[in-house]
Amino acid sequence: MQDIADLYQAVILDHNRRPRNFGEMENPDRVAVGDNPVCGDHYTVFLQMDGDRIREITFHGAGCAISKASASVMTSMLKGKTLAEIKALYSDFHHLVTSGEIDEGNLSDLSAFAGVHQFPARIKCATLSWHAALNAAERPGEEPEPVTTE
Amino acid sequence: MQDIADLYQAVILDHNRRPRNFGEMENPDRVAVGDNPVCGDHYTVFLQMDGDRIREITFHGAGCAISKASASVMTSMLKGKTLAEIKALYSDFHHLVTSGEIDEGNLSDLSAFAGVHQFPARIKCATLSWHAALNAAERPGEEPEPVTTE
Amino acid sequence: MKKTMTSIREEFPVLDQQVYGHDLIYFDNAATTQKPRSVIDAVSGYYEKDNSNVHRGIHALSHRATEAYEAARARAAAFIGAGSEKEIVFTRGTTEAINLVASSWCNRYLKPGDRILLTEMEHHSNLVPWQLAAERTGAELVFVPVTGDEGLLQLDRLDALLAGNVKLFAFTHISNALGTINPVAELCRRARDQGVVTLVDAAQSVGHAPLDVSGIGCDFLAFSGHKMCGPTGIGALYGRRDLLEALPPYHGGGEMIRKVDLHRSEWKGVPHKFEAGTPHISGAIGLHAAMDYLDEIGRKAIYSHDRELGEYAAERLRSLRNLRLLGPPAERAGIASFHLPNVHAHDVVSFADRRGLALRGGHHCTQPLMKRLGLESTVRASFYIYNTKEEIDRFVEVIEEIQAFFG
Amino acid sequence: MKKTMTSIREEFPVLDQQVYGHDLIYFDNAATTQKPRSVIDAVSGYYEKDNSNVHRGIHALSHRATEAYEAARARAAAFIGAGSEKEIVFTRGTTEAINLVASSWCNRYLKPGDRILLTEMEHHSNLVPWQLAAERTGAELVFVPVTGDEGLLQLDRLDALLAGNVKLFAFTHISNALGTINPVAELCRRARDQGVVTLVDAAQSVGHAPLDVSGIGCDFLAFSGHKMCGPTGIGALYGRRDLLEALPPYHGGGEMIRKVDLHRSEWKGVPHKFEAGTPHISGAIGLHAAMDYLDEIGRKAIYSHDRELGEYAAERLRSLRNLRLLGPPAERAGIASFHLPNVHAHDVVSFADRRGLALRGGHHCTQPLMKRLGLESTVRASFYIYNTKEEIDRFVEVIEEIQAFFG
Ligand SMILES: Cc1ncc(COP(=O)(O)O)c(C=O)c1O
Ligand SMILES: Cc1ncc(COP(=O)(O)O)c(C=O)c1O
């Protein structure tokens, strides 16, 4: 029996209650907004960069437990990573939330999201902040359009 | 068994082959057009009046056997009738083609159309020229709109 | 109700299933209702026996299909108390019906500076078409405000608003987001007193309550079959005959013309002028069966059943801590919408789903209303003829479980 | 065909009936086709198991309905060789699909003096929408002429016509009135060479022949489910993705928006931008089953079967005296249209009906073409997968009987 606890792992409930790196950043190098108008989830991701490496990352906004916990876990893991590393990690994470399969050892707390694949309507919640972070990290200079998952 | 011969009575086939009062009139007092664009039936009815009594009536145009025979029988019967008499006759005829019931003795050749009620799609064919004739007889003076049955 | 609850439930095949090991409790009726056997069979029966195109044919099947299609129109006219079947235009649903008026009526009558009056509680389908019309014609939109969480229209402002060069007033009969029942007859009367044309969005009311357009006194009224036990893809626009006759056509195509030349055409009379192309024949026939079904139960009985469930749910929810119940204090339709400050609506709905409970979470296509309430979304339970108080008890249990889980 | 004729006929419940004591011979397939058991069951099955509104919900039924609805879209894209399911907009049918382009595309791109090229053989649904668009935008309509009774396009005139400030060229793939099969790929190539956007009316071809939009090279293509074994009320517009993306929305309402404020809104991406309101979910699901059914038989097989019947009927009719057969001398679709100088089309159809034979008589929604041929109407027999040569023999017998009766 798949139950609701598969989706809301303890790690997720914890990050939802006490999100890490939560708050606006004073002097961000880059900012991107992620938006799901269908459910009203909306987050802003703030970055400070060292070249193409993330030095500092925070997020702010509101949404469901899955999207908030995902943003919280993500920010905890992206600090110090390069754009290429982020992309690779996102690719593993995306595989995880769509298939439930844990291939890689370096997912760490992200593996708490394995249950999401049983809740297809919630996959977008799990990936929303990632889209925003990638959007910010990839497009230096420009004022990016808000990314949306619908 | 209802068969096709119920619709196409000998009288109808005869009037269809040799329509009476068929042709344009030289000096009509009134003219009205009856039109069924769905099947392309279209007739013009020409009248010469004595007060509200029809002196002469002819028709011209083309259409299916039912509409043509109906116009032919109608013109044969309306000569010399007043508007009130025509309305009464049309009311009987309309009852006939929608119910199949022959109430009145004065329908004469019109009773050949009793079978039409079994062919509801054809009722409009049977009444098209009547609408035109009534339209012409009722609205002296004006240039009448074409009547249509759709 | 004339039928027992057991017999009603048995008539809806979809209810007889389990979801994740729990009996399905379907509380998403404001989004769409389920279909009774008689409606499903009317649609199949049409395809099995009479299927044919309508209007243009004189063979037996075509005649049967045409008769059945036009009988559905006459039935719809009678169902809502229209004076003639010529006042019923079949559309895909409420949305298309409103778009038809927003296109044909607005293009003909509105000029820059004219105003369209709406309310702050409208469904996007009764808002966005008017935004597009306003953009095209240069007209402006103005809104009757909504009071706070109670979700009532601020009617003391209405006459002044109507007086401000308003040409059309479009509003919902029952709010899909909050369950508010608006005093439609009064609204129409006040609009008529100022010469303003009215459109009632009856998506949430036609299948839930006795309804009579002549009593209401509206000029246009729109509804959807799928929200009243009918098939998807069918709905209707009621329009007062003289108004419909004065309108230009909507779509062009087969069936709606009288005569076509290469460069110009003449239209049929109402309502066919507005129905271009092959219509949704099986949909109209299924809708006919749905109207028969609802009248068999009785719309008065449905109305009191739905409202009783709405009141009961509201009462039970009010007793929960940390829950913000929205909607009117009394006279509530069968809709209970609420906000849990500690749990996002989507988490509530996902969780409830695993208990077999179908709820809706989100903005319910009323983003401006949500903004007015200071919310992104609410959780909504909406009831219909086959729902019971026992289901509501179970639902409240699940909400309590959710509060404890995320607490 | 992979299936035998007997097994195919058994799959269509409607065929198993008598009309006025005669076995039904259904030769009105160009108006609408019959539905196989699998399509009827797909529609019922949806209502019995999964019925729910799409897109906005996250409970189990809503998820199933959304998946099924979007799977139908992907299937339609694959069925006609579109590059992506985002290129498929569900509509009520061909007529609405053409109206969508005539509204959104023409309003955006046409200015006074621009031209829309059509042909003289178009169905009213591919003519009247452009008349309305021309009236709105000040554009003009021009026409590719049709040769006499053969009903072929006069293609030597095409390039010159296209060169005359034409912005859009809309034409039918297969003529519903005459059975002409137009060389669509060539027409699209010649239009593209002059930078002209193309729309193909594929109402008569999608269910009858292998079809691939990338091979054809069209920009837009429209079709109807009910003409290809699918339900009523559903059809689709194919549009090249970049073209669709550049277009303004069509209707406003729920489902098609991203964000709504009281005074302005943002749209979803394609194709949802064009689908306002609750869509015809069961229709899309039934259409999916219809496409599966047609591919099970094989569209190549269907194409040769239909054409074989068309040729056979033409050959048999040519042997009758006092009969004017219309349509192409060769390469005829499964359609035989003719005129009896001594008997009006409606008399033919009424008579044939009493012999169990369903024919169409009239202008077939192509009044300008009829005018070109100097006719008010023709009698049309149109064939599909379940029709046989024996039925055609019987049909010819009835036509002879009619000639004798009225002779
Ligand atoms: C060639 C052609 N185009 C367009 C149409 C219109 O299709 P629909 O009535 O399904 O919208 C038809 C069918 O009547 C047709 O045969
Ligand atoms: C109040 C209201 N208006 C309009 C609509 C739109 O109806 P449909 O989607 O059937 O066109 C809905 C349903 O979603 C509704 O609840």
Side-chain angles (χ1 to χ4, degrees):
Chain A
M1 248 301 293
Q2 309 156 348
D3 195 51
I4 196 70
D6 292 351
L7 178 62
Y8 296 107
Q9 303 268 325
V11 171
I12 293 180
L13 291 177
D14 176 53
H15 275 268
N16 178 44
R17 276 195 214 97
R18 300 184 302 112
R20 322 294 197 266
N21 309 303
F22 189 73
E24 309 197 13
M25 193 184 279
E26 291 272 294
N27 295 307
D29 297 335
R30 298 184 198 160
V31 175
V33 172
D35 216 0
N36 185 348
V38 173
C39 49
D41 293 349
H42 57 97
Y43 295 100
T44 310
V45 173
F46 303 86
L47 299 180
Q48 281 171 345
M49 307 292 290
D50 270 342
D52 78 338
R53 192 180 293 280
I54 290 181
R55 178 150 36 89
E56 270 304 326
I57 176 167
T58 69
F59 79 104
H60 198 71
C64 66
I66 305 300
S67 62
K68 186 179 277 177
S70 171
S72 172
V73 174
M74 175 190 79
T75 51
S76 317
M77 293 186 64
L78 294 195
K79 243 173 270 190
K81 292 221 162 48
T82 63
L83 181 57
E85 288 166 339
I86 298 170
K87 281 187 176 170
L89 194 58
Y90 176 65
S91 154
D92 292 345
F93 179 64
H94 188 264
H95 182 67
L96 174 82
V97 295
T98 51
S99 72
E101 292 163 21
I102 305 185
D103 293 344
E104 304 290 326
N106 51 9
L107 280 170
S108 162
D109 270 2
L110 289 175
S111 52
F113 292 87
V116 170
H117 87 280
Q118 297 170 31
F119 297 76
R122 309 303 300 278
I123 292 169
K124 286 165 180 171
C125 307
T127 56
L128 178 60
S129 61
W130 284 86
H131 286 291
L134 280 165
N135 197 29
E138 269 181 332
R139 302 201 204 167
E142 304 170 37
E143 179 67 34
E145 282 278 290
V147 290
T148 68
T149 59
E150 276 155 4
Chain B
M1 246 303 292
Q2 311 157 347
D3 195 52
I4 196 71
D6 293 351
L7 179 61
Y8 297 107
Q9 304 267 325
V11 171
I12 294 179
L13 291 177
D14 176 53
H15 276 267
N16 178 44
R17 275 196 214 96
R18 301 183 300 111
R20 323 296 197 266
N21 309 303
F22 189 74
E24 309 197 11
M25 194 184 279
E26 290 273 293
N27 295 307
D29 298 334
R30 299 183 196 158
V31 176
V33 172
D35 215 0
N36 184 348
V38 172
C39 49
D41 293 350
H42 57 96
Y43 295 100
T44 310
V45 174
F46 303 85
L47 300 181
Q48 281 171 344
M49 308 290 290
D50 271 341
D52 78 337
R53 191 180 294 280
I54 292 181
R55 176 150 37 88
E56 270 304 329
I57 176 166
T58 70
F59 79 105
H60 198 72
C64 66
I66 304 301
S67 62
K68 187 179 277 178
S70 170
S72 171
V73 174
M74 175 190 78
T75 50
S76 317
M77 293 187 65
L78 294 194
K79 245 175 268 192
K81 292 221 161 51
T82 62
L83 181 57
E85 288 166 339
I86 298 170
K87 280 187 176 169
L89 194 58
Y90 175 65
S91 155
D92 293 345
F93 179 65
H94 188 264
H95 182 67
L96 174 82
V97 295
T98 50
S99 72
E101 294 163 20
I102 306 186
D103 294 343
E104 305 290 325
N106 51 7
L107 281 169
S108 162
D109 270 3
L110 289 175
S111 53
F113 292 88
V116 170
H117 86 281
Q118 296 170 32
F119 297 75
R122 308 304 299 280
I123 292 169
K124 286 166 180 170
C125 307
T127 57
L128 177 59
S129 60
W130 284 86
H131 286 291
L134 280 166
N135 198 31
E138 269 180 333
R139 302 202 204 169
E142 303 171 38
E143 180 67 34
E145 282 278 290
V147 291
T148 67
T149 60
E150 276 156 5
Chain C
M1 298 203 195
K2 289 183 222 148
K3 299 190 182 205
T4 66
M5 183 49 74
T6 322
S7 75
I8 289 177
R9 289 186 65 89
E10 278 169 0
E11 282 159 348
F12 289 81
V14 83
L15 297 179
D16 184 23
Q17 69 176 290
Q18 294 219 321
V19 170
Y20 300 112
H22 300 272
D23 288 342
L24 170 66
I25 297 180
Y26 185 78
F27 277 1
D28 195 18
N29 293 289
T32 200
T33 66
Q34 298 302 338
K35 321 303 172 201
R37 174 55 56 209
S38 65
V39 169
I40 301 172
D41 288 350
V43 172
S44 308
Y46 166 71
Y47 289 133
E48 285 162 4
K49 297 192 210 91
D50 307 323
N51 177 65
S52 176
N53 213 323
V54 293
H55 294 313
R56 288 169 297 179
I58 48 186
H59 58 76
L61 267 54
S62 172
H63 183 65
R64 279 186 238 152
T66 305
E67 292 279 294
Y69 180 69
E70 293 301 331
R73 192 194 304 281
R75 183 71 178 88
F79 195 76
I80 61 164
S84 154
E85 73 279 3
K86 292 195 193 299
E87 301 187 316
I88 301 293
V89 179
F90 282 125
T91 64
R92 180 166 35 249
T94 307
T95 303
E96 194 188 26
I98 295 172
N99 275 276
L100 194 165
V101 178
S103 160
S104 291
W105 192 92
C106 291
N107 290 356
R108 166 134 308 174
Y109 295 110
L110 291 189
K111 40 183 205 320
D114 285 344
R115 286 184 170 166
I116 300 168
L117 181 61
L118 307 170
T119 85
E120 285 181 350
M121 67 167 74
E122 296 313 314
H123 188 282
H124 295 160
S125 289
N126 197 27
L127 168 56
V128 182
W130 308 113
Q131 291 179 346
L132 296 174
E135 203 180 297
R136 270 197 317 273
T137 61
E140 282 166 30
L141 304 186
V142 279
F143 295 88
V144 181
V146 167
T147 63
D149 283 10
E150 304 197 328
L152 299 173
L153 294 180
Q154 249 174 272
L155 290 185
D156 49 336
R157 305 265 309 266
L158 182 62
D159 292 332
L161 281 164
L162 283 166
N165 205 26
V166 166
K167 294 287 149 64
L168 183 136
F169 179 25
F171 54 92
T172 193
H173 189 171
I174 293 179
S175 156
N176 68 303
L178 304 179
T180 314
I181 304 170
N182 287 320
V184 272
E186 183 195 337
L187 298 181
C188 287
R189 185 183 49 70
R190 286 163 72 170
R192 203 169 45 244
D193 285 349
Q194 305 211 30
V196 172
V197 169
T198 49
L199 179 143
V200 175
D201 173 352
Q204 295 294 340
S205 58
V206 169
H208 293 263
L211 186 150
D212 174 53
V213 287
S214 67
I216 291 175
C218 55
D219 296 308
F220 296 106
L221 182 138
F223 62 97
S224 301
H226 71 95
K227 291 187 197 278
M228 50 186 282
C229 290
T232 60
I234 191 81
L237 173 69
Y238 157 82
R240 251 181 44 211
R241 184 155 171 190
D242 55 332
L243 288 177
L244 287 182
E245 278 172 353
L247 289 188
Y250 178 48
H251 291 162
E255 315 268 14
M256 55 74 77
I257 55 86
R258 208 179 76 75
K259 205 163 177 175
V260 177
D261 284 328
L262 285 176
H263 292 280
R264 61 179 296 281
S265 302
E266 293 167 25
W267 322 125
K268 278 192 181 162
V270 297
H272 297 103
K273 168 168 76 174
F274 299 108
E275 294 181 5
T278 303
H280 183 11
I281 308 166
S282 76
I285 289 166
L287 178 60
H288 190 157
M291 294 184 286
D292 286 349
Y293 182 79
L294 294 177
D295 274 347
E296 212 181 290
I297 300 183
R299 276 182 280 166
K300 259 181 129 157
I302 295 172
Y303 192 46
S304 42
H305 173 80
D306 287 359
R307 284 178 55 193
E308 198 180 320
L309 293 190
E311 286 303 336
Y312 182 72
E315 191 186 301
R316 294 284 331 259
L317 289 171
R318 273 192 207 101
S319 73
L320 300 188
R321 287 189 315 134
N322 246 333
L323 183 149
R324 180 173 159 201
L325 180 69
L326 306 164
E331 299 285 306
R332 170 190 292 275
I335 290 175
S337 209
F338 59 92
H339 175 67
L340 298 180
N342 300 329
V343 196
H344 190 276
H346 274 199
D347 295 317
V348 176
V349 176
S350 275
F351 195 110
D353 181 41
R354 297 286 154 146
R355 297 289 179 267
L357 185 57
L359 301 175
R360 239 337 107 156
H363 51 63
H364 315 296
C365 290
T366 55
Q367 287 184 8
L369 178 63
M370 292 294 129
K371 207 171 196 176
R372 188 87 172 89
L373 299 171
L375 294 170
E376 295 286 352
S377 56
T378 73
V379 178
R380 181 185 72 190
S382 52
F383 314 115
Y384 207 30
I385 35 180
Y386 31 71
N387 294 128
T388 64
K389 288 193 180 170
E390 292 68 43
E391 289 180 325
I392 291 177
D393 291 337
R394 172 72 186 133
F395 149 73
V396 174
E397 239 173 73
V398 172
I399 298 300
E400 288 183 300
E401 187 189 353
I402 290 169
Q403 288 184 314
F405 184 86
F406 287 97
Chain D
M1 299 204 195
K2 290 181 219 148
K3 300 190 182 206
T4 66
M5 183 50 73
T6 322
S7 75
I8 289 177
R9 289 187 65 89
E10 279 169 359
E11 283 159 348
F12 289 81
V14 84
L15 297 178
D16 184 23
Q17 70 176 289
Q18 295 220 320
V19 170
Y20 301 112
H22 300 272
D23 288 341
L24 170 66
I25 297 180
Y26 186 78
F27 277 0
D28 195 17
N29 293 290
T32 201
T33 65
Q34 298 303 337
K35 322 302 172 200
R37 174 56 52 210
S38 65
V39 169
I40 300 172
D41 288 350
V43 172
S44 306
Y46 165 72
Y47 289 132
E48 286 161 5
K49 296 192 211 91
D50 306 324
N51 176 66
S52 176
N53 213 324
V54 294
H55 293 313
R56 289 169 297 180
I58 47 187
H59 58 76
L61 266 55
S62 172
H63 182 65
R64 280 186 237 151
T66 305
E67 292 279 296
Y69 181 68
E70 293 301 331
R73 193 194 305 281
R75 182 70 179 89
F79 195 75
I80 61 164
S84 153
E85 74 279 1
K86 292 194 193 300
E87 301 188 316
I88 301 293
V89 179
F90 282 124
T91 64
R92 179 165 36 248
T94 307
T95 303
E96 194 187 28
I98 294 171
N99 275 277
L100 195 165
V101 178
S103 161
S104 290
W105 192 93
C106 291
N107 290 356
R108 166 135 307 173
Y109 294 110
L110 290 190
K111 40 183 204 319
D114 285 345
R115 285 182 172 169
I116 300 167
L117 181 61
L118 307 171
T119 85
E120 286 180 349
M121 66 167 75
E122 296 312 314
H123 189 280
H124 295 161
S125 289
N126 196 28
L127 169 56
V128 182
W130 309 113
Q131 291 179 345
L132 296 175
E135 202 180 295
R136 269 196 317 273
T137 61
E140 282 166 29
L141 304 185
V142 279
F143 296 88
V144 182
V146 168
T147 64
D149 284 9
E150 304 198 328
L152 299 173
L153 294 180
Q154 249 175 270
L155 290 185
D156 49 335
R157 307 264 307 266
L158 183 62
D159 292 332
L161 280 165
L162 283 166
N165 203 28
V166 165
K167 294 288 148 64
L168 183 135
F169 179 25
F171 54 92
T172 193
H173 188 172
I174 293 179
S175 156
N176 68 303
L178 304 178
T180 314
I181 304 170
N182 287 320
V184 273
E186 183 196 336
L187 298 181
C188 287
R189 187 182 47 68
R190 286 163 73 171
R192 206 170 42 244
D193 285 350
Q194 305 211 32
V196 172
V197 168
T198 48
L199 179 142
V200 176
D201 173 352
Q204 294 295 339
S205 58
V206 169
H208 293 263
L211 185 150
D212 174 53
V213 288
S214 67
I216 290 174
C218 55
D219 295 308
F220 295 106
L221 183 137
F223 63 97
S224 301
H226 72 94
K227 291 186 197 280
M228 49 186 282
C229 290
T232 59
I234 191 82
L237 173 69
Y238 157 83
R240 252 181 42 213
R241 184 155 172 189
D242 54 333
L243 288 176
L244 286 183
E245 278 172 352
L247 289 189
Y250 178 48
H251 292 161
E255 315 268 11
M256 55 74 76
I257 55 85
R258 209 178 76 73
K259 205 164 178 175
V260 177
D261 284 327
L262 284 177
H263 291 279
R264 61 179 298 280
S265 302
E266 294 167 25
W267 321 126
K268 278 191 183 163
V270 297
H272 297 103
K273 170 167 74 172
F274 299 107
E275 294 181 5
T278 303
H280 183 10
I281 307 166
S282 76
I285 289 166
L287 178 60
H288 190 156
M291 294 184 286
D292 287 349
Y293 182 79
L294 294 177
D295 274 347
E296 214 181 289
I297 300 183
R299 275 182 282 167
K300 262 182 128 156
I302 294 171
Y303 193 46
S304 40
H305 172 80
D306 287 0
R307 284 178 55 192
E308 199 180 318
L309 292 190
E311 286 303 337
Y312 182 71
E315 193 186 300
R316 294 284 332 256
L317 289 171
R318 274 192 205 99
S319 72
L320 300 188
R321 289 189 314 134
N322 245 334
L323 183 149
R324 178 173 160 202
L325 181 69
L326 305 163
E331 299 283 307
R332 170 191 292 273
I335 290 174
S337 210
F338 59 92
H339 176 66
L340 299 181
N342 300 329
V343 196
H344 190 276
H346 274 200
D347 295 318
V348 176
V349 176
S350 276
F351 194 111
D353 181 41
R354 297 287 153 145
R355 298 290 178 265
L357 185 57
L359 301 175
R360 236 341 104 159
H363 52 62
H364 314 296
C365 291
T366 55
Q367 287 184 7
L369 178 64
M370 292 294 128
K371 206 170 195 175
R372 188 88 172 87
L373 300 171
L375 294 170
E376 295 286 353
S377 57
T378 73
V379 178
R380 181 184 72 189
S382 53
F383 314 115
Y384 207 30
I385 34 180
Y386 32 70
N387 294 127
T388 65
K389 288 193 180 170
E390 292 69 41
E391 289 180 324
I392 291 177
D393 290 337
R394 172 71 186 133
F395 150 72
V396 173
E397 237 173 73
V398 172
I399 298 299
E400 289 182 299
E401 187 189 353
I402 290 169
Q403 289 184 313
F405 184 87
F406 288 96

